[in-house]
Amino acid sequence: MKPTIADLRRDYTRDGLTEAQAPVEPHVLFSTWFAQAVEIETTEANAMMLATVDSAGQPHLRTLLLKGFDERGFVFFTNYQSAKGEQLSAQPLAAMSFWWHDLERQVRIEGMVEQVSPEESDAYFHSRPMGSRLGAWTSPQSEVIAGREVLEQRLAALEIQYAEQQPPRPPHWGGYRVVPSLIEFWQGRSSRLHDRLCYRLKAGNWVLERLAP
Ligand SMILES: Cc1cc2nc3c(=O)[nH]c(=O)nc-3n(C[C@H](O)[C@H](O)[C@H](O)COP(=O)(O)O)c2cc1C
């Protein structure tokens, strides 16, 4: 018999997470988990959900690709004039979530958001394939468009314009960095008794606490 939605469940038994495994700096543990996700996950390990909030308090959520991280924070690239860009200029706060299914792990990150330096955005933009660079010029991201042909016509014009020269980075396109004030590492365990180790930034120091699952 076909299982109903209510029957769909999986017991998580792959691994555990103890305080002894948690370094002082959370980005060090993120780095370890991310490297394992790149190795093991069958889907894009750098795909994550990013939540922003608008001035009415309505949360908005979408999938993005993480493009860098270090002790300063977590970087993604997008259109500064998109819906998320508007939301971030009004309320520069975000939450991020990774779900690494094969590893039975989730990481949640919360913090303030800032634009990365123009040099950082330039460096990443120029590392992208030509199609993606022209795509950044082509798409008025999040705006209503009359049809797909709007994009195709714009792209065709840009291909002619940039046939013999490199497109510059559009001024409305670049990176954001989520500067974390909270990072939670979640490891699925059996019988829903998961491990949750949560780092919170307090007076400039990371404080580690275990949360009930
Ligand atoms: C796997 C995946 C990766 C994505 N990566 C990005 C990304 O890195 N940057 C981006 O602007 N949009 C990316 N998108 C599209 C976003 O989910 C979203 O549609 C777009 O950014 C517009 O969001 P907004 O209207 O809330 O601003 C991705 C979508 C998927 C499914």
Side-chain angles (χ1 to χ4, degrees):
M1 219 171 63
K2 235 172 127 182
T4 66
I5 291 185
D7 293 328
L8 295 177
R9 64 174 63 83
R10 168 172 156 191
D11 196 35
Y12 303 120
T13 54
R14 185 183 172 109
D15 214 339
L17 178 63
T18 65
E19 284 77 352
Q21 293 168 306
V24 174
E25 298 286 333
H27 75 270
V28 174
L29 183 53
F30 184 88
S31 180
T32 305
W33 275 29
F34 188 73
Q36 291 167 345
V38 169
E39 197 183 312
I40 298 219
E41 293 293 314
T42 42
T43 54
E44 288 169 291
N46 60 333
M48 46 85 181
M49 305 295 291
L50 182 93
T52 51
V53 69
D54 68 23
S55 47
Q58 169 68 53
H60 300 267
L61 186 64
R62 76 290 283 164
T63 311
L64 297 177
L65 296 179
L66 183 77
K67 286 290 167 176
F69 66 90
D70 57 22
E71 66 290 347
R72 292 170 300 166
F74 298 82
V75 173
F76 62 89
F77 290 87
T78 192
N79 187 315
Y80 288 144
Q81 294 168 348
S82 64
K84 79 183 84 50
E86 305 267 308
Q87 288 144 21
L88 287 171
S89 48
Q91 186 66 276
L93 291 169
M96 213 179 238
S97 161
F98 295 82
W99 165 228
W100 291 315
H101 176 274
D102 297 322
L103 289 164
E104 302 173 347
R105 286 174 176 170
Q106 172 184 243
V107 177
R108 294 172 57 225
I109 296 166
E110 295 173 5
M112 296 283 296
V113 180
E114 60 186 26
Q115 289 188 2
V116 305
S117 68
E119 294 74 26
E120 227 175 315
S121 289
D122 284 340
Y124 175 64
F125 181 80
H126 293 294
S127 76
R128 304 177 86 205
M130 187 61 155
S132 307
R133 279 180 281 159
L134 291 183
W137 278 105
T138 305
S139 172
Q141 194 176 56
S142 316
E143 282 181 24
V144 174
I145 52 173
R148 191 166 174 88
E149 59 281 5
V150 172
L151 301 178
E152 284 158 5
Q153 284 160 10
R154 281 193 190 212
L155 180 61
L158 285 159
E159 280 170 347
I160 294 167
Q161 186 180 347
Y162 291 111
E164 315 237 307
Q165 48 172 327
Q166 295 297 316
R169 175 174 63 88
H172 57 267
W173 190 97
Y176 285 105
R177 175 177 287 108
V178 178
V179 178
S181 51
L182 178 151
I183 308 187
E184 180 200 321
F185 295 86
W186 183 101
Q187 176 72 61
R189 299 292 302 268
S190 191
S191 305
R192 299 299 187 246
L193 294 182
H194 314 299
D195 287 325
R196 298 179 67 189
L197 293 188
C198 185
Y199 290 82
R200 285 195 183 89
L201 198 56
K202 289 184 186 159
N205 293 314
W206 287 107
V207 175
L208 181 68
E209 291 162 318
R210 178 172 287 265
L211 304 181

